[in-house]
Amino acid sequence: MFRVENLLKRYGDLIAVDRISFEVRRGEIYGLLGPNGAGKTTTMSVLSGLLRPDDGSVHFDGIDLLAEPIRVKQCLGVVPQETALYETLTARENLRFWGGLYGLSGAALGAAVDRVLEQVGLTARAGDRVRTYSGGMKRRLNLALGIVHGPKAVLMDEPTVGIDPQGRANILDTVRAVAAAGTTVLYTTHYLEEAETLCDRIGIMDHGKILAEGTVADLKARAGQEEIVTIRGSFSAETARDRLGTIPGARLIHSAESNVVLGVQGSGQGAAQLLSDLFGSGLPVDAISIQPPSLNSLFLNLTGRELRD
Ligand code: ATP
């Protein structure tokens, strides 16, 4: 449905999106997973026609976004990170306003508003002013504004940021319902668990690049059998490299000031051997963590960093 090829976007000297390519298939929930600053919002802004890329192409259902932006935008819904609600209006009034901007009117507008209120679970509160809503309800309404016109695909940029776990679970259920009703979803998040439970396929993004892509099962298989050992302490990158880089069975993934990441083979035994060698090395260590193969360990392996760093 979306075909993104070789997409490049710069802000001055900074390369925010670094020649990425990916496809979003009809009916799927595709997740861009990455930390703050990875380039997710910039990618979404280009795909929604708000920003012009410096190079590359985006096709939606075969239509060239750069050549025919209005035709593509008519098929899309956008749920931005910031909520764009009129607090003194009710949910129904907000939705009627946005639905009207999208060209709906009369009975069609009323039916669309009722449908989307039901989808996001706000029917019972539809007549209340938005300023009386909880943060989670505002997020759900924000999502509803992006789909009120029944788009073929919707772009959702971190729709769960800043809400409590129950509010988040509600949003995720709503996203699933939207996808189940036939809308293709492109979803960004920096929460690994969200990507893992929600998305049919995931692109792992960092520093403007997609480092790995696939289903959760594909990505877990890519994580392989290695356990990831992260060591923190008072040492320089060089010292860590010298003392730990040559330990048999351990692969140095990343070394920086006070932080070194290694991959070790074998369930538990490799890590146990590494720990024993580590204590023998005399490196001043403050903390050690060992992670079994998982999406998180794959991310660490690819970037040398935790998603939450
Ligand atoms: P976040 O979740 O924090 O929004 P992100 O993955 O969406 O992160 P982007 O917002 O796309 O990342 O930012 C990618 C890079 O581009 C960052 O280094 C950011 O500081 C930079 N950037 C984003 N918008 C602008 C802008 N308008 N001008 C200059 N630099 C920008």
Side-chain angles (χ1 to χ4, degrees):
M1 187 157 236
F2 271 111
R3 203 172 75 240
V4 178
E5 284 172 311
N6 203 29
L7 195 69
L8 174 75
K9 179 67 196 171
R10 292 195 192 92
Y11 298 111
D13 289 341
L14 182 107
I15 299 178
V17 174
D18 196 359
R19 301 201 173 278
I20 61 171
S21 301
F22 64 99
E23 277 188 37
V24 182
R25 298 171 191 154
R26 186 180 306 277
E28 78 176 348
I29 305 179
Y30 184 95
L32 282 177
L33 171 70
N36 290 338
K40 306 181 299 294
T41 300
T42 303
T43 304
M44 293 297 240
S45 301
V46 171
L47 266 56
S48 59
L50 286 175
L51 270 183
R52 231 186 135 73
D54 294 304
D55 200 6
S57 65
V58 178
H59 286 84
F60 179 82
D61 264 356
I63 310 168
D64 183 342
L65 170 71
L66 298 179
E68 299 185 79
I70 294 173
R71 249 184 97 195
V72 173
K73 283 192 214 179
Q74 281 167 345
C75 304
L76 300 182
V78 178
V79 179
Q81 237 175 68
E82 303 298 327
T83 53
L85 309 174
Y86 292 104
E87 299 257 333
T88 54
L89 300 184
T90 67
R92 188 179 295 283
E93 286 165 345
N94 268 282
L95 284 164
R96 289 189 67 86
F97 176 75
W98 280 101
L101 287 185
Y102 283 124
L104 295 173
S105 62
L109 176 59
V113 168
D114 286 344
R115 170 184 52 78
V116 85
L117 281 167
E118 197 63 39
Q119 259 184 320
V120 301
L122 287 175
T123 303
R125 296 287 303 273
D128 295 345
R129 288 184 201 282
V130 171
R131 66 167 176 245
T132 67
Y133 280 21
S134 69
M137 290 167 72
K138 286 181 186 173
R139 286 262 163 202
R140 274 189 279 154
L141 179 56
N142 194 48
L143 199 155
L145 297 181
I147 55 172
V148 64
H149 55 304
K152 286 188 189 169
V154 59
L155 307 170
M156 300 185 183
D157 195 7
E158 307 216 32
T160 61
V161 162
I163 57 173
D164 59 43
Q166 196 194 342
R168 175 178 299 173
N170 255 321
I171 292 272
L172 297 187
D173 284 344
T174 306
V175 177
R176 287 188 191 99
V178 168
T183 308
T184 302
V185 178
L186 177 54
Y187 187 97
T188 74
T189 182
H190 62 267
Y191 297 116
L192 204 134
E193 308 74 37
E194 251 181 34
E196 194 166 359
T197 57
L198 183 70
C199 299
D200 298 307
R201 288 189 309 129
I202 299 170
I204 296 182
M205 205 171 174
D206 194 28
H207 295 308
K209 290 186 172 9
I210 292 184
L211 303 175
E213 195 201 39
T215 62
V216 173
D218 292 340
L219 293 172
K220 281 192 171 161
R222 244 193 100 165
Q225 298 304 314
E226 264 187 348
E227 298 192 310
I228 304 294
V229 180
T230 305
I231 301 161
R232 292 181 204 277
S234 319
F235 46 74
S236 67
E238 295 71 37
T239 312
R241 249 198 324 271
D242 290 349
R243 306 246 186 115
L244 302 176
T246 52
I247 292 179
R251 185 172 68 86
L252 188 67
I253 294 171
H254 174 79
S255 74
E257 178 81 36
S258 320
N259 182 23
V260 59
V261 181
L262 298 131
V264 287
Q265 290 289 338
S267 52
Q269 284 170 3
Q273 181 60 47
L274 172 68
L275 291 187
S276 138
D277 290 351
L278 173 66
F279 289 121
S281 75
L283 202 69
V285 171
D286 296 332
I288 298 168
S289 77
I290 302 171
Q291 299 198 18
S294 65
L295 272 193
N296 198 39
S297 74
L298 176 64
F299 189 83
L300 256 167
N301 200 338
L302 291 169
T303 67
R305 290 186 295 132
E306 297 262 0
L307 248 181
R308 63 174 172 272
D309 278 354

